[in-house]
Amino acid sequence: MELEHLFNGSALNAVDAKGRLSVPAFIRGVIERRTDAKAVVLGAHECDPCLTAYDRGYGRILHAENERRRLLEEGQGDPAQHFARARRTFGITEDVPYDTSGRIILPPMMRRKGRIEELALFVGVGGTFEIWNPHLALESGDDDLRDLAAYRLEEKGIAP
């Protein structure tokens, strides 16, 4: 399956005490071009301390990718890896609708998984987007991500 619309861009938004958070317009625009459902699926990132997120239809692509990896790994090592990946991809996720103003409520489990506190850094990564605690992004091994987090914090008048 080829994706016609990709997530590009970044934004830093506040998270209130109840976990309410505005989904940036660049994210909502892609979701609404891909599907009629005004919702995001949130899950733990495979290797970084952040959340990965996508529209409901993207799950088909993830299933195909998991199956491709399972077939490649078949006979080479531990089959438990496939099931752990499948649980992370489909079991440890939350489907979260957004309201007419584009706000979601971050579920407590996802907030915990992503270590999201009072700020959320949205980063488009093509087929999906990431949601970072910007202070964790500042500690990343990725120079560009660190620069992006510092810039977005400074833009809001917050010292990195």
Side-chain angles (χ1 to χ4, degrees), residues 33-74:
R33 285 191 297 274
R34 287 184 180 181
T35 181
D36 291 334
K38 293 185 177 190
V40 295
V41 179
L42 303 172
H45 194 278
E46 189 167 352
C47 57
D48 285 318
C50 68
L51 298 176
T52 188
Y54 45 88
D55 62 279
R56 288 178 179 164
Y58 193 77
R60 291 188 305 276
I61 293 171
L62 292 174
H63 180 269
E65 175 63 15
N66 277 355
E67 186 62 11
R68 184 192 68 76
R69 289 173 72 178
R70 183 190 67 79
L71 293 171
L72 277 174
E73 295 165 353
E74 201 168 78

Side-chain angles (χ1 to χ4, degrees), residues 98-118:
Y98 55 86
D99 65 20
T100 55
S101 63
R103 288 190 327 175
I104 63 171
I105 296 177
L106 270 177
M109 178 65 168
M110 290 299 110
R111 201 165 177 184
R112 177 179 169 181
K113 283 285 192 188
R115 297 166 53 189
I116 306 297
E117 295 170 351
E118 68 280 346

Side-chain angles (χ1 to χ4, degrees), residues 9-15 21-22 24 26-27 49-53 106 114-125 129-140 144-156:
S10 65
L12 181 67
N13 288 347
V15 180
L21 167 66
S22 244
F26 81 92
I27 300 283
C50 68
L51 298 176
T52 188
L106 270 177
R115 297 166 53 189
I116 306 297
E117 295 170 351
E118 68 280 346
L119 294 168
L121 176 65
F122 289 80
V123 181
V125 291
F129 61 96
E130 298 170 344
I131 304 174
W132 284 83
N133 173 327
H135 300 289
L136 292 178
L138 288 171
E139 299 170 5
S140 167
D144 291 327
L145 179 60
R146 283 196 316 268
D147 287 346
L148 176 64
Y151 172 77
R152 291 293 181 200
L153 286 166
E154 290 166 1
E155 184 179 53
K156 299 272 187 186

